[in-house]
């Protein structure tokens, strides 16, 4: 079985004007069978930092729990929240530790950094970071998502327009992918 | 109380530490020993949260820390940690709790407790004045009163004290740990009638 296609997923993040949007589908499947339609793939790290994890669902949950652990300790010691850039490095390092037995996940990190500047990035399952200025996609529907985002995206969108754009991009892409869908979850910060 | 006006701490409180969102502690004794134990406590709390996906019960954390302290009194030929702690926290089994521990690793649950310099005097004062079912404001006032009477310094100002509270946020129902800001401290001291009157102009 293809391990990245086992559960099915679609996650996308976009940059707007002093805001960001992160969205995911809601389906959890076991290959062709749908098992849940309310599965959470986007997790909060702190008020201005979110991570979306596509790929194998169990790895997504475990990875999130381990990251929450590390961030909690950072917060207790530093008495502040982690910056998105720093968090991205943390995720990358965590994934590379398992270089020869990886987590089957592709994370998307979205946050507001210094002076509320939006920050998004994605990485592969062993931690290769890819910073982007406009949008990042991952999951079984990623090819459709690339196409949809590329045509619908405009820079410096306000939150309301960003919401419309990311929702339309997500919904039209998952409709072309049998493994993801059953609604979407969109978060604008 | 803070060391004096030349002391500059990068943290919000000098002798209070947050262990987890629902658990905090105050320290008396050798600060370097305390730092090691606080770190151990934080890691232990997070590991519990990772395994069980729920916050660690207060007594479990206190017990594990005291087990560590006790180990240093029985094995290895190392000296014990010179630290006493007051742990304050909330969990869903027993609600709000207060525990006191000492370098031997002994711990107990208390309704009111004091550690450090003049702690016997403070403890006996608490024994007289503590009443069950006090509100948060009454508890704060009592703590300030006891501290003011047992501290060595002649006057009490906001920069000589630290106050932290573990409470349920009225809006969200979440447990929170908050250190009192110097301004709020000043107001509390004035309200309790503990500040020195302003000098004549």
């Amino acid at each position: 079985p293809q391990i990245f296609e086992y559960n099915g997923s679609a996650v996308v993040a976009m940059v707007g004007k002093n805001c960001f949007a992160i969205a995911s589908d809601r389906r959890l499947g076991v290959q062709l069978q749908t098992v849940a339609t309310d599965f959470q793939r986007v997790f909060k790290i702190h008020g201005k930092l979110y991570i979306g994890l596509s790929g194998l669902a169990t790895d997504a949950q475990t990875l999130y729990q381990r990251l929450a652990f590390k961030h909690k300790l950072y917060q207790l010691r530093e008495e502040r929240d982690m910056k998105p850039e720093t968090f991205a490095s943390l995720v990358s390092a965590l994934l590379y530790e398992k270089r020869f037995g990886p987590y089957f996940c592709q994370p998307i990190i979205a946050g507001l950094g210094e002076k509320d500047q939006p920050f998004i990035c994605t990485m592969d399952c062993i931690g290769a970071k890819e910073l982007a200025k406009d949008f990042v996609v991952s999951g079984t529907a990623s090819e459709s998502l690339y196409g949809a985002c590329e045509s619908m995206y405009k820079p410096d969108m306000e939150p309301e327009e960003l919401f419309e754009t990311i929702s339309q991009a997500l919904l039209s892409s998952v409709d072309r992918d049998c493994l993801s869908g059953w609604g979407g979850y969109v978060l604008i910060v | 109380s803070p060391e004096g006006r030349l002391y500059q701490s990068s943290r919000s409180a000098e002798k209070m530490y947050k262990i987890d969102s629902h658990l905090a502690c105050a320290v008396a004794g050798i600060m370097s020993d305390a730092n090691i134990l606080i770190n151990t406590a934080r890691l232990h709390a997070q590991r519990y949260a990772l395994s069980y996906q729920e916050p660690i019960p207060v007594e479990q954390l206190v017990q594990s820390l005291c087990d560590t302290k006790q180990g240093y009194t029985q094995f290895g030929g190392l000296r014990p940690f010179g630290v006493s702690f007051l742990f304050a926290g909330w969990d869903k089994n027993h609600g709000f709790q207060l525990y006191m521990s000492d370098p031997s690793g002994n711990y107990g649950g208390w309704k009111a407790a004091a550690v450090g310099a003049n702690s016997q005097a403070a403890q006996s004062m608490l024994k007289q004045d503590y009443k069950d079912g006090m509100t948060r404001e009454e508890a704060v006032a009592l703590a300030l009163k006891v501290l003011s009477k047992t501290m060595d310094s002649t006057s009490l100002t906001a920069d000589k004290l630290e106050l932290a509270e573990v409470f349920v946020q009225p809006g969200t129902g979440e447990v929170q740990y908050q250190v009192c800001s110097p301004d709020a401290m000043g107001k509390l001291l004035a309200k309790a009638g503990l500040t020195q009157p302003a000098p004549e102009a």
Side-chain angles (χ1 to χ4, degrees), chain A residues 62 65-66 68-69 72-73 76-77 79, chain B residues 12 18-21 39 42 46-47 53:
Chain A
T62 304
Q65 287 168 5
R66 291 195 63 197
F69 177 105
K72 197 62 187 290
L73 284 171
L76 285 168
R77 289 178 187 143
E79 294 196 343
Chain B
S12 57
K18 188 168 157 184
I19 308 281
D20 200 350
S21 317
N39 217 36
R42 284 173 173 167
Q46 287 312 115
R47 270 189 224 119
Q53 289 297 301

Side-chain angles (χ1 to χ4, degrees), chain B residues 35 63 69-70 73 78 99 126 150 172:
Chain B
N35 281 333
Q63 202 158 50
K69 287 208 232 180
Q70 188 277 342
T73 67
L78 302 165
Y99 292 93
L126 284 170
T150 56
T172 60

Side-chain angles (χ1 to χ4, degrees), chain A:
Chain A
Q2 300 284 60
I3 196 75
F4 280 98
E5 277 105 43
Y6 190 74
N7 292 128
S9 55
V11 187
V12 56
M14 277 190 188
V15 166
K17 196 172 170 68
N18 296 325
C19 64
F20 69 84
I22 184 165
S24 75
D25 72 324
R26 311 273 286 170
R27 179 183 179 273
L28 176 73
V30 174
Q31 293 185 312
L32 55 95
Q33 184 180 41
T34 300
V35 164
T37 56
D38 59 355
F39 190 68
Q40 188 189 7
R41 281 198 180 83
V42 174
F43 301 100
K44 178 170 150 179
I45 301 292
H46 65 76
K48 291 184 181 174
L49 182 58
Y50 286 78
I51 181 164
L53 291 155
S54 67
L56 198 61
T58 174
D59 281 356
Q61 286 180 330
T62 304
L63 200 56
Y64 163 66
Q65 287 168 5
R66 291 195 63 197
L67 287 165
F69 177 105
K70 295 206 171 203
H71 181 257
K72 197 62 187 290
L73 284 171
Y74 183 97
Q75 247 182 348
L76 285 168
R77 289 178 187 143
E78 299 259 334
E79 294 196 343
R80 65 182 177 89
D81 291 327
M82 223 189 247
K83 289 205 281 261
E85 296 84 355
T86 314
F87 183 72
S89 299
L90 176 68
V91 181
S92 175
L94 198 64
L95 292 172
Y96 197 81
E97 268 177 17
K98 302 271 183 224
R99 171 67 178 78
F100 301 108
Y103 288 108
F104 296 112
C105 279
Q106 214 187 336
I108 280 187
I109 292 151
L112 291 176
E114 216 112 320
K115 299 194 184 61
D116 284 350
Q117 284 296 345
F119 170 87
I120 53 170
C121 87
T122 183
M123 49 191 89
D124 67 7
C125 64
I126 43 179
K129 257 191 281 189
E130 186 206 306
L131 304 170
K133 296 203 174 65
D134 41 15
F135 58 85
V136 286
V137 304
S138 82
T140 50
S142 57
E143 275 142 11
S144 303
L145 278 166
Y146 272 124
C149 291
E150 194 68 57
S151 51
M152 296 189 202
Y153 180 81
K154 297 195 312 283
D156 285 331
M157 280 186 278
E158 293 293 327
E160 290 77 20
E161 205 192 341
L162 189 67
F163 171 78
E164 282 301 322
T165 311
I166 199 174
S167 310
Q168 291 300 334
L170 180 72
L171 289 173
S172 56
S173 309
V174 304
D175 280 346
R176 275 289 179 187
D177 175 25
C178 53
L179 293 172
S180 53
W182 277 102
Y185 169 84
V186 182
L187 194 103
I188 310 275
V189 178

Side-chain angles (χ1 to χ4, degrees), chain B:
Chain B
S1 59
E3 303 279 357
R5 56 186 185 85
L6 286 181
Y7 188 74
Q8 181 178 46
S9 173
S10 60
R11 295 177 49 248
S12 57
E14 188 201 323
K15 295 185 185 174
M16 314 273 205
Y17 292 84
K18 188 168 157 184
I19 308 281
D20 200 350
S21 317
H22 62 296
L23 243 180
C25 71
V27 183
I30 304 176
M31 292 312 290
S32 53
D33 288 1
N35 281 333
I36 305 286
L37 285 169
I38 302 278
N39 217 36
T40 315
R42 284 173 173 167
L43 280 165
H44 189 80
Q46 287 312 115
R47 270 189 224 119
Y48 183 97
L50 183 63
S51 301
Y52 298 98
Q53 289 297 301
E54 63 165 43
I56 187 168
V58 187
E59 186 164 0
Q60 278 201 33
L61 188 281
V62 174
Q63 202 158 50
S64 89
L65 217 62
C66 289
D67 285 348
T68 308
K69 287 208 232 180
Q70 188 277 342
Y72 282 74
T73 67
Q74 194 172 14
F75 311 111
L78 302 165
R79 68 160 176 83
F81 290 96
V83 200
S84 294
F85 284 108
L86 279 175
F87 291 99
W90 182 93
D91 63 44
K92 66 177 174 9
N93 302 308
H94 299 294
F96 286 104
Q97 296 151 73
L98 176 68
Y99 292 93
M100 181 164 81
S101 80
D102 64 14
S104 69
N106 217 16
Y107 77 90
W110 292 85
K111 292 182 181 177
V115 289
N118 299 329
S119 54
Q120 278 102 321
Q123 195 79 17
S124 49
M125 218 184 284
L126 284 170
K127 204 164 166 184
Q128 279 183 325
D129 295 336
Y130 178 83
K131 297 184 302 289
D132 280 313
M134 279 199 294
T135 65
R136 187 175 147 193
E137 290 76 20
E138 286 169 344
V140 168
L142 177 60
L144 290 176
K145 188 176 96 172
V146 169
L147 204 57
S148 73
K149 296 224 168 92
T150 56
M151 256 168 71
D152 287 330
S153 42
T154 46
S155 72
L156 215 58
T157 51
D159 57 346
K160 288 192 189 160
L161 291 179
E162 285 177 342
L163 177 73
E165 297 169 89
V166 179
F167 59 96
V168 177
Q169 181 82 288
T172 60
E174 271 183 55
V175 180
Q176 266 202 8
Y177 161 81
Q178 213 173 59
V179 178
C180 204
S181 70
D183 299 321
M185 224 12 199
K187 291 199 189 97
L188 278 170
L189 286 170
K191 204 166 100 174
L194 294 167
T195 47
Q196 294 291 74
E200 294 297 298

